[in-house]
Amino acid sequence: MSDLNAKKRWMYETMVLIREYEDFLAMAYFEDKLPPKIQKGLAFDIGAGPIPGEMHLSAGQEAAAVGVCAHLTKDDSVWGSHRSHHFAIAKGVDLDRMTAEIFGKVTGLCRGKGGHMHLFDLAVHYACTGIVGGGIPHACGAALAAKMRGEKSVAVAEFGDGAANEGSFHESLNYAGLWKLPVIFICQDNNYGISVAKSDSTAVESNALSRAAGYNMPGVQIDENDPLAMFEAFATAVDRARRGEGPTLIEMKVFRYYGHFQGDPETYRPKGEIETIREQDPIPNTAEKLMAEGILTTEQIAEISQKAKDRVMQAFTFAKESAYPDASETFQHVFTD
Amino acid sequence: MTTIDEKQRNKAFFQAMIEGISQEMERDERVFYMGQDVGKMGGVFQSTVGLHQKFGANRVIDTPISETGMMGMALGAAAEGMRPIAELMFVDFLGVCFDQIMNEIAKVHYMSGGAVKQPLVITASMGGGFSDAAQHSQCLHSLFAHVPGLKVVAPSNPHDAKGLMMSAIRDDNPVVYLFHKGILGLPIIGFIDADIDNNVPEEPYSIPFGEARIVREGQDVTIIGLSQTVQKAALAAEILAEQGIDAEVLDPRTLVPLDTDAIIKSVAKTGRLIVVDEDYLNYGFTGELSALIAENLDIVKLKSAIRRLGVAGVSIPYSRPLEQVAIPQVEDIVTAAKEVMASSIL
Amino acid sequence: MTNVITENDIWEGLEQGTEALLDEWLVEDGADVEIGQPIALIVVVKANHEIMAPKKGAIKILVAGQDSFTKDQPLAEIV
């Protein structure tokens, strides 16, 4: 199998894995959070259950993650947002330890201290943060470090259309364009910042087409939720960055299949919208394309699906069977020695 | 002779808060509310439910995720005579826009020699206890209180929620109004309700700033909290009463201005003080009250050392067992009170 | 006598046995209600719904405010 075909296959497999993971998480999240198992007088208890707190799922945005990470090595860094499981998985974060972290267990990536919005895996240079737009300048910093040391690695900032209105976005793009930092900005336009549609929050239709030039970098607009389209666009961008020519802003239309947070009743979404975007699911679309190209067979697709289910089950079992951190750990890791 | 119907009108904190905002917006057309998802959605913590429908998109405004811009615009609109209410979805997000709050909004009136006024309110949700982790569980009221020029208000119950909101909106100064997620009474977050005062009269009423409430009178030890920790202190006091300790629970209601007289009077009476805070222990509210007492030892004769409970120099951890340790609980207050009663410096 | 019961579609996708919350009754027990009059507020997971009276008559409350209830469970009777 050619290198390109192997990459396409990897992208498909990874999309399937991400989707299985997010779908399973969507269900597992509700465990022990609903009546009759909770405090009287509540319809839902966000702090209860094995996966407490908030949950932001990336189902429908997989194409962006795999199209990007297909080009990345271990040394390239990815800086994500509150909705970042897809990039974590595509970057190669340890799935068992990621799941254990989401369950708050001591075997988690952060010994249970961070939770789902604060995943850190140094081994593959992946990090995410819960403050919208918070991670964008972090990516610039990583890019600056690479440039200072004369390395060829790149940094990727992944965020949503909502974050593109944060001051940190604009400052980061200016820095990157000014200093020609090897950073690539990936804006995933799922059309919503929680309940507010992009047209009600953003002065322009496309950040890539209207704002990138304002910061002296190319802007690439991708209108299809298609991993192969991102794969192509990112190839150019990563090449440019590694050659020391500077940053790129890529904006891609993706779908947010679940609510902003799990349990979001999404009353602000027009009727039928979710059904419509579900019909345009990039995963079966990509399967069809790869089958037509002779890269995958129906049997292989079934195998990939089963393999993903098994891997997800394995990760969740590991998390469930792991211990919680001891109370004494509460006050550790404020400072390092 | 007419009889007045004294029937209690119980409301949840978030309902009382909204009623305060709504009645002020009715009374004064200069008042408007802006923030993320406060429009049709009614706020992520249901802080504005019904307001968008009632007052329209021109007065209840969904902003982009641009907090610096929003705070700066609040300043400008207020300087020009409007009365904006700007919401930070989580108080933790003050990090994104604190320059506008600390260096601009708080200082404009002073720097202008009293010429420019800032009749605005900054609202924000605060507090943890349900695994929302380090960046979404903080309280940070002490950060605001530390900066001259900001009034800081944190109601502990529905009655105060409405009265203090109305006062905040009517105040011609910048007021930071913090509502704890764990006392809002939302059906989706576990909440504490020690029944301090759930009565919310329908007519408009305002509660003056700088006036503490004695939630429970007692002789043995003064327990001072803020927001949700007042509720926790009230619950602890019930447990302590069964064990023969008569605790006085005091709710300052506002940090700035602070009712120093009430606090000194209470500790002078009991001789023992426990301060319970969900904000960070160091360099904050608990230290401020301890210093206040230490400066008034001619009036207050302490029977035991002051005890401070707070989040002890650590970020809020995600994992539930760790979070329960980091945030002061009712049991911690009970234990502290028993220790304070058992010790003596006399 | 007519039972006041929730519609099936609000329970879609929820596991069997999941309950919803009766947040607040908007009328008193025994009050006369009319068809279409909002009588209660319920919360299913995080979604708020208003319940309307299906029939005119006197209401008899079966599920108290702040209690939870299952799909198919009558919230009240209207006589």
Side-chain angles (χ1 to χ4, degrees), chain C residues 1 3-5 8-10 14 18 20 25 31 35 42 44 46 48 52 63-65 67-68 74-76 78-79:
Chain C
M1 190 223 36
N3 276 332
V4 178
I5 291 188
N8 281 341
D9 60 343
I10 64 171
L14 293 180
T18 301
W25 280 104
I35 300 177
I42 66 169
V44 186
K46 288 189 183 183
N48 295 303
M52 319 291 191
V63 175
D67 273 353
S68 61
L75 309 182
I78 299 185
V79 194

Side-chain angles (χ1 to χ4, degrees), chain A residues 40-59:
Chain A
K40 186 169 136 82
L42 293 183
F44 172 87
D45 188 350
I46 192 173
I51 308 175
E54 292 186 77
M55 180 53 61
H56 310 92
L57 298 174
S58 61

Side-chain angles (χ1 to χ4, degrees), chain B residues 243-263:
Chain B
Q243 299 179 24
I245 297 176
D246 188 31
E248 175 150 298
V249 178
L250 187 152
D251 178 4
R253 306 208 278 208
T254 59
L255 289 195
V256 181
L258 184 66
D259 191 348
T260 52
D261 286 344
I263 293 168

Side-chain angles (χ1 to χ4, degrees), chain B residues 5 13 115 122 155 214 217 256 258 270 298:
Chain B
D5 188 353
F13 189 114
I122 296 170
I214 302 290
E217 270 185 36
V256 181
L258 184 66
T270 63
D298 49 343

